[in-house]
């Protein structure tokens, strides 16, 4: 598709879609709880719909009237053996977290994915699950999908130090540990998003956290809840950056999630001198209203413990850095290589083709600004965040066209992205 270019300003108020991470987990916990769970403001992107369909295939009744999702939970013991393979689509979150759920069942299930997901290694999850007594069959020694989990009703608890900072791996082990006999201990390399831990308590369970140490007692039960999902800061990030770099812009974002493990991008914007304000803070819902305006930006360094707090936002942060004065360095972000694409290489290639000056490194990139951008033909390679990054970059192109191939990937997390963009252009 041909992207909009030559934006003279963006203005208006946006309600971004519900948080993707919380949407996934609300379906999982609602299914594993006893009783009814109602979910408001869920993200109806393709990844979340994959998780919803998987639990239907596992025997859970899930109703969606277009407004509220209602789940008739069956508990851990109520899941049924599927009669077909479980299709995870493009969703790494789905296949990793659900691996932990399936680990403690009394049946086998095979999980498949699209071409992109089938190239993503699952060994970081399967290695510790095998230590808990689960038999797993994957493709190659990295356990690429299709992946078959042979559930074990007598899971052994685990004491495990995560070799990478990954909320997906941590959550998979938590779901397995909740079905084990005894206490499991998980030690994080760096603190990662804690939606799973928060939701355990919301659904009536117990979890004990001391800094980077997590203790979970097995054989817990959950009770259905009413869940209201805040807007996804990973989706809001594209408008935050657009408001900062497109001339003559002011954008207001309502009900954006501000969980402390997810707000690294706000710290980066402030370090770069961006005009950002946060108001209407709701400490219970962990949400707020954010306003950004066109700003003069300066380069910065992004590394260390902040990386897990903004890992999904790094593609759009790279674009932000191309419009900052001076150099920005991103380090300690090896995790980008095992996302929907190798995001280090694909981000650099995409933005460089449009005139940026980005050098990819083993664990990040070096970005020199300020770079004027020009037209190009770019490809999402099936990665939704690459597509949205390119669409925002195109707004800075004044005298050429930007052609985006495989734009449908954006539906993974933000089906109304281009509709919201038009609203801001015409406000």
């Amino acid at each position: 598709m041909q992207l909009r270019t030559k934006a003279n300003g963006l203005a208006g108020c946006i309600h971004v879609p519900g948080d993707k991470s919380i949407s996934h987990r609300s379906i999982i916990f609602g299914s594993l709880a006893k009783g009814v769970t109602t979910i408001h403001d869920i993200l109806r992107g393709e990844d979340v719909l994959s998780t919803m369909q998987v639990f239907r295939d596992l025997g859970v009744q899930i109703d969606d009237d277009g407004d509220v999702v209602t789940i008739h939970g069956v508990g851990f013991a109520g899941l049924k053996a599927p009669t077909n393979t479980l299709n995870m689509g493009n969703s790494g979150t789905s296949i990793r977290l659900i691996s932990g759920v399936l680990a403690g069942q009394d049946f086998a299930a095979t999980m498949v994915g699209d071409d992109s997901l089938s190239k993503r290694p699952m060994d970081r999850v399967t290695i510790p699950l095998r230590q808990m007594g689960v038999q797993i069959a994957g493709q190659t020694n990295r356990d690429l999908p299709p992946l078959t989990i042979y559930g074990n009703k007598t899971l052994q608890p685990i004491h495990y130090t995560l070799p990478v900072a990954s909320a997906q791996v941590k959550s998979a082990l938590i779901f397995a540990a909740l079905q084990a006999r005894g206490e499991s201990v998980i030690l994080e390399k760096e603190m990662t998003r804690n939606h799973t831990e928060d939701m355990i308590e919301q659904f009536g369970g117990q979890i004990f956290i001391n800094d980077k140490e997590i203790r979970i007692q097995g054989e817990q039960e959950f009770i259905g809840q009413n869940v209201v999902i805040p807007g996804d800061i990973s989706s809001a990030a594209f408008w935050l950056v657009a408001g900062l770099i497109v001339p003559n812009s002011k954008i207001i974002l309502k009900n954006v999630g501000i969980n402390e493990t997810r707000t690294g991008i706000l710290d980066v914007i402030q370090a770069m001198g961006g005009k950002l304000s946060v108001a209407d803070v709701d400490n219970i819902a962990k949400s707020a209203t954010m306003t950004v305006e066109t700003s003069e930006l300066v380069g910065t360094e992004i590394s260390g413990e902040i990386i897990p707090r903004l890992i999904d936002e790094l593609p759009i942060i790279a674009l932000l850095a191309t419009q900052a004065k001076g150099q920005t360095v991103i380090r300690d972000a090896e995790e980008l290589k095992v996302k929907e694409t190798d995001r280090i290489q694909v981000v650099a290639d995409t933005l460089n083709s449009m005139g940026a000056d980005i050098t990819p490194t083993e664990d990040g990139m070096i970005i020199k600004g300020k770079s004027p951008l020009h037209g190009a033909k770019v490809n999402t390679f099936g990665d939704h965040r690459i597509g949205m990054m390119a669409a925002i970059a195109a707004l800075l192109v004044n005298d050429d066209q930007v052609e985006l191939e495989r734009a449908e990937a954006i539906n993974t997390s933000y089906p109304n992205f281009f509709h919201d963009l038009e609203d801001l252009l015409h406000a």
Side-chain angles (χ1 to χ4, degrees), residues 392-415:
I392 302 302
L395 300 174
L396 301 176
V397 174
N398 292 317
D399 56 356
D400 208 345
Q401 296 181 348
V402 179
E403 189 76 22
L404 181 64
E405 296 183 347
R406 297 182 65 183
E408 69 278 0
I410 292 171
N411 293 329
T412 294
S413 64
Y414 203 151

Side-chain angles (χ1 to χ4, degrees), residues 293-372:
E293 300 180 55
T294 308
S295 304
E296 291 294 325
L297 303 165
V298 295
T300 189
E301 179 170 327
I302 306 168
S303 61
E305 63 183 15
I306 197 175
I307 292 294
R309 296 176 55 227
L310 47 64
I311 190 70
D312 286 336
E313 291 74 68
L314 282 173
I316 194 64
I317 288 172
L319 172 61
L320 180 69
T322 70
Q323 302 307 302
K325 183 179 179 180
Q327 180 172 277
T328 295
V329 179
I330 299 173
R331 295 193 179 96
D332 305 319
E334 305 96 326
E335 187 72 8
L336 287 175
K337 292 184 175 182
V338 292
K339 293 291 184 178
E340 284 82 340
T341 56
D342 176 348
R343 283 185 179 157
I344 291 176
Q345 193 64 52
V346 174
V347 166
D349 289 348
T350 300
L351 293 178
N352 284 344
S353 74
M354 298 179 69
D357 186 350
I358 301 177
T359 302
T361 65
E362 279 299 308
D363 64 347
M365 53 193 88
I366 301 169
I367 306 163
K368 295 180 180 178
K370 181 176 181 180
S371 298

Side-chain angles (χ1 to χ4, degrees), residues 106-124:
D106 60 358
F107 54 79
T110 298
M111 298 179 288
V112 299
D114 66 6
D115 289 344
S116 173
L117 188 66
S118 297
K119 298 173 184 175
R120 297 175 69 179
M122 297 297 144
D123 54 346
R124 57 180 54 182

